[in-house]
Amino acid sequence: HASDFLVYRYCLQKKERNLNVTSCGKSFCASQSVKIVVHNVNRPPVLEAISNITITETETLVLKPAATDHDGDEVKYAFSQPVSKYTGKWKTDINDKGSYIVYVAASDRDNTVTFPVGVTVLQKNRAPTIKTDKDEIMVKEGQEFSLNVKAKDPDDDEVTVTIDNLPLGASFKEGIFTWKPEFETVNGSEAGEQSFLSSLDIESSQGRETIMVEFKATDGEFEVIHPVKVKVENVNQKPEII
């Protein structure tokens, strides 16, 4: 038991032994007892080396040191910041990117040894975001409108914004989407061919066509899609005499 061991250890800080020494001449011998006192010397624990560690932001660092004590003493560990002093754990967060030196200490109560561990925290890539003036627009056939599209990356990575398929007659340049729906967009003879080019969801009801225009932003790793709902109302045109 640990407590019994400590009592035994501290009660036996020294050990005495009697050594009989005999000296003899030609005819007689003389003997004398000599007391020898041996004092206990505590040896420090030996801490095993820990390799440098690399993790990514939001991951948890867990240090598991191992030490050997040649006297059989109980060894306890402690850690320097930013690691928890007694658990050896550190839950990293965003903006913890950098290089750190964490000191691991092993102690047997009398002696303490320390060992530095290099910890590198890599930046965690975060997805970009897309913001538009409006997420839902109501227009009429033949009415031109523009929409500002802005993308932002929390890591300041370069972001590319695209539209896979532009509606017929639309343009997207320098973050500005411009479109003038043609008069055949709703209930026209070519509506079924033209409107679905940039749509995932199209609904025709009561002279109105709903078209989902999707803007795509990528930072090279993450890809996000931001849909904008465009409701195009039918505009009645005068009949033509052929």
Side-chain angles (χ1 to χ4, degrees), residues 131-142:
K131 184 178 181 181
T132 56
D133 295 335
K134 296 180 180 179
D135 293 334
E136 184 173 322
I137 299 175
M138 179 79 73
V139 295
K140 295 182 179 181
E141 290 178 329

Side-chain angles (χ1 to χ4, degrees), residues 43-222:
R43 290 170 291 180
V46 178
L47 184 62
E48 295 182 8
I50 303 176
S51 302
N52 293 337
I53 300 173
T54 299
I55 59 175
T56 303
E57 289 174 334
T58 71
E59 291 182 345
T60 299
L61 170 68
V62 180
L63 294 177
K64 296 181 178 180
T68 302
D69 191 276
H70 295 293
D71 300 315
D73 299 337
E74 180 184 9
V75 179
K76 293 187 176 182
Y77 304 98
F79 309 88
S80 66
Q81 293 183 347
V83 176
S84 175
K85 184 176 181 179
Y86 297 112
T87 65
K89 296 182 180 181
W90 176 30
K91 178 66 171 68
T92 61
D93 201 350
I94 298 298
N95 300 323
D96 281 337
K97 171 188 174 183
S99 298
Y100 303 82
I101 299 295
V102 177
Y103 290 91
V104 180
S107 174
D108 64 356
R109 293 179 181 268
D110 287 341
N111 294 292
T112 300
V113 293
T114 59
F115 187 87
V117 180
V119 178
T120 300
V121 181
L122 304 178
Q123 183 180 37
K124 179 181 178 63
N125 187 37
R126 291 168 288 178
T129 57
I130 302 176
K131 184 178 181 181
T132 56
D133 295 335
K134 296 180 180 179
D135 293 334
E136 184 173 322
I137 299 175
M138 179 79 73
V139 295
K140 295 182 179 181
E141 290 178 329
Q143 177 185 350
E144 185 177 88
F145 72 94
S146 295
L147 188 66
N148 290 316
V149 182
K150 295 182 180 180
K152 184 177 180 181
D153 189 272
D155 305 315
D156 295 326
D157 296 334
E158 183 177 352
V159 181
T160 302
V161 182
T162 58
I163 300 178
D164 285 341
N165 293 299
L166 283 171
L168 188 62
S171 65
F172 183 54
K173 296 180 180 179
E174 298 181 355
I176 300 177
F177 173 77
T178 304
W179 186 28
K180 182 180 180 180
E182 296 186 353
F183 285 99
E184 291 81 10
T185 300
V186 181
N187 298 329
S189 59
E190 300 178 0
E193 298 178 1
Q194 296 174 355
S195 61
F196 75 86
L197 292 178
S198 62
S199 310
L200 291 181
D201 180 23
I202 302 178
E203 300 176 352
S204 295
S205 176
Q206 298 179 351
R208 179 184 300 168
E209 194 86 12
T210 299
I211 301 175
M212 301 298 292
V213 180
E214 293 188 338
F215 298 94
K216 182 188 299 182
T218 178
D219 63 355
E221 179 180 354
F222 285 106

Side-chain angles (χ1 to χ4, degrees), residues 18-30:
N18 291 322
L19 179 65
N20 293 321
V21 179
T22 302
S23 178
C24 295
K26 291 183 178 181
S27 301
F28 299 97
C29 292

